Amino acid sequence: MSAMRNSNWDRRTVLRAAMGLAAAGGLAACGGNNGRGGGSGSGKNLVQYFHAYGEQGTEQAIKRYAKAYKDANVSTQWITGENFESKLFSALLTDKAPDLFEFHPQIQLIRSGQVADLTDIIDPVKDDFNQADIASHTVDGKIYGVRMIDDPQFFFYRKSLLEKANVEVPQTLDELIEAAAKLTTDKVKGLFLGNELDPIARPLIWAAGADTLDEKNEIAYHTDGVREGLVKLRKLFTSGDLLLGAPTDFWDPSALNQGLTAIQWCGMWAMPAMQEALGDDLGIFPFPKVTDTGKPSVYNGGWSMFVNAKSKNVEAAKEYVKWLWIDQKEYQEDWSLSYGFHIPPRTSLAESADKLKSGLPAEGVKLFNEYGHFDNIGFTQAMLDAVEDVLGDCVRDNGDPEAALDKADGKVNRELKKLFG
């Protein structure tokens, strides 16, 4: 249930359309059938959009929950293939738009009036949610989405391979690079960071003691520490110790499970599949600190449920969201723990989740609590794309880090001006 589940996933399209939904106006809707079955106009037929999760049983689970709801007929568009996001945002521009959909907190969805204010249904239980999740969905005191799952990402490693190579768990980026060199053989690469390197863009920033934006919504990633990290990553990229062009990307555990690499960046969602393949020969650690002033970092991905503010059934959609993602704790627990491991955003559920209380899952929760960073609702996908392009410019292509960061600053500042003036 990661943010990246489809083998055809294209990171670059995540929110191109959302930067101005009108720009996508010429795109076709996502198929001719919106699942309404004709619809009665009574407000009792609802359509929800989900991307195709990779864990078996997820589609059946979502449809089972919907079937149990008695106050509306809820149908699910389970969107497979490439580019869930562009299909979602194309559909939002048409009369085939879903009434509710899963996505990530993004301020431009709020500024464009695309998502409904859900404060009234969340407020009574707000204290039982992880407060960082509440903060990441809040603008001007109003809450615009209900978090369904928290998905921490970190490094997974084969204990036996590290022991054989006499390698300690890396505590710094320098040690990670040294470990990758010692672990690389003619059959196994030392390290896998994903085919595009994109998933480590923000962890690198945080581990260098920086941030995406500061509390004034100004650039906070352009620092000496981040620049130092980029130079080190370029060294790693050219070392021959990095797995490049793997059959599946970082979100899939195959690279580690099949012995292509000794260490892999991935998400907690894949932990059960890794444990099934590797047993106890599995450990985890956060992105190690880049500089002396840095700190290890863990990115918390995940998904949230939003109501389409332009739907004709806003109140009915809100009632369904409240029923499923606030009232039905049994289903929320099932969604978090039965199809991969995720941390329930509800504090009461997280505290009672037995599957997360011991062993490696408990270690994952500890890393999440100690080093976790959440989405900044003001740091939009266009800004993230600009920062990820820095990795392409100076890690893949050996450009000058300072020039690459300056280029990103220009793009990010243009977006910030649009959003915050």
Side-chain angles (χ1 to χ4, degrees):
M1 280 201 253
S2 72
M4 299 78 181
R5 263 307 178 254
N6 194 295
S7 60
N8 294 320
W9 169 272
D10 177 3
R11 264 305 276 110
R12 287 308 190 192
T13 62
V14 174
L15 241 177
R16 297 271 190 220
M19 286 321 297
L21 288 172
L27 294 174
C30 181
N33 173 21
N34 68 353
R36 292 182 202 279
S40 64
S42 66
K44 294 298 183 184
N45 292 292
L46 299 174
V47 175
Q48 59 180 353
Y49 270 25
F50 276 77
H51 79 292
Y53 289 89
E55 294 88 335
Q56 286 186 345
T58 47
E59 181 180 6
Q60 293 79 5
I62 282 295
K63 290 179 176 178
R64 187 173 72 249
Y65 310 154
K67 192 175 180 182
Y69 187 59
K70 302 305 179 195
D71 293 338
N73 302 308
V74 183
S75 57
T76 303
Q77 288 275 313
W78 190 257
I79 299 175
T80 58
E82 293 183 27
N83 309 340
F84 165 72
E85 292 74 18
S86 51
K87 289 177 179 177
L88 167 65
F89 284 100
S90 305
L92 287 173
L93 293 163
T94 72
D95 59 2
K96 303 266 196 284
D99 302 288
L100 56 158
F101 56 90
E102 64 169 357
F103 208 66
H104 320 290
Q106 293 276 339
I107 196 168
Q108 67 273 31
L109 292 179
I110 297 159
R111 293 282 166 86
S112 65
Q114 188 67 64
V115 292
D117 176 6
L118 303 183
T119 309
D120 56 334
I121 64 172
I122 299 172
D123 225 26
V125 293
K126 185 170 74 170
D127 292 344
D128 188 40
F129 273 86
N130 186 313
Q131 291 307 293
D133 278 323
I134 294 293
S136 70
H137 292 71
T138 300
V139 174
D140 298 331
K142 295 177 180 177
I143 307 167
Y144 286 91
V146 180
R147 194 66 153 179
M148 300 183 293
I149 46 175
D150 284 326
D151 271 337
Q153 299 173 18
F154 23 66
F155 283 112
F156 290 78
Y157 67 94
R158 297 279 299 273
K159 289 181 179 178
S160 59
L161 295 181
L162 267 69
E163 286 167 15
K164 187 178 176 185
N166 199 25
V167 169
E168 298 289 325
V169 174
Q171 305 296 314
T172 66
L173 183 56
D174 286 331
E175 289 178 11
L176 180 65
I177 293 167
E178 290 166 14
K182 289 179 183 175
L183 290 163
T184 297
T185 68
D186 55 352
K187 291 178 181 169
V188 181
K189 292 293 185 182
L191 184 62
F192 183 45
L193 299 175
N195 287 328
E196 296 296 327
L197 307 183
D198 291 351
I200 63 155
R202 281 174 289 184
L204 173 77
I205 289 167
W206 296 317
D211 206 343
T212 50
L213 302 174
D214 63 20
E215 62 280 354
K216 295 178 183 175
N217 288 310
E218 294 175 352
I219 287 170
Y221 59 78
H222 193 152
T223 67
D224 290 342
V226 170
R227 190 163 49 248
E228 186 180 324
L230 292 166
V231 171
K232 290 175 180 179
L233 281 180
R234 172 64 185 173
K235 177 184 168 189
L236 173 64
F237 187 79
T238 57
S239 66
D241 304 324
L242 203 58
L243 176 63
L244 301 169
T248 57
D249 211 344
F250 84 99
W251 46 261
D252 186 281
S254 298
L256 194 75
N257 287 358
Q258 295 173 6
L260 303 180
T261 186
I263 303 174
Q264 173 178 346
W265 184 261
C266 195
M268 192 159 159
W269 59 80
M271 198 178 276
M274 288 183 176
Q275 288 181 311
E276 189 178 336
L278 304 172
D280 293 332
D281 189 25
L282 188 64
I284 55 173
F285 62 92
F287 197 99
K289 66 179 186 177
V290 173
T291 62
D292 289 340
T293 55
K295 188 178 178 183
S297 71
V298 168
Y299 171 55
N300 175 46
W303 290 87
S304 309
M305 187 52 60
F306 298 90
V307 169
N308 179 7
K310 298 174 182 178
S311 162
K312 293 172 182 171
N313 301 307
V314 170
E315 289 309 314
K318 284 176 65 173
E319 285 169 19
Y320 176 66
V321 170
K322 178 183 182 297
W323 174 82
L324 179 53
W325 298 111
I326 291 176
D327 298 340
Q328 301 300 314
K329 286 196 169 185
E330 184 183 336
Y331 290 151
Q332 294 160 36
E333 185 175 50
D334 180 64
W335 189 238
S336 287
L337 301 171
S338 298
Y339 317 96
F341 287 157
H342 317 267
I343 298 175
R346 299 288 290 274
T347 308
S348 56
L349 286 177
E351 287 173 351
S352 65
D354 289 339
K355 290 181 179 179
L356 305 181
K357 284 187 174 175
S358 61
L360 205 61
E363 283 185 51
V365 172
K366 186 169 182 282
L367 292 181
F368 166 82
N369 288 330
E370 198 167 346
Y371 302 121
H373 290 266
F374 291 67
D375 288 311
N376 181 333
I377 197 168
F379 193 72
T380 67
Q381 187 62 38
M383 298 179 202
L384 178 56
D385 280 350
V387 168
E388 289 173 348
D389 285 343
V390 172
L391 290 175
D393 289 346
C394 58
V395 177
R396 285 184 168 276
D397 296 339
N398 199 28
D400 174 54
E402 187 63 30
L405 286 165
D406 285 342
K407 183 178 163 188
D409 291 352
K411 293 177 182 175
V412 172
N413 276 325
R414 281 194 293 277
E415 295 299 322
L416 289 171
K417 191 171 182 180
K418 273 193 253 177
L419 290 168
F420 302 107

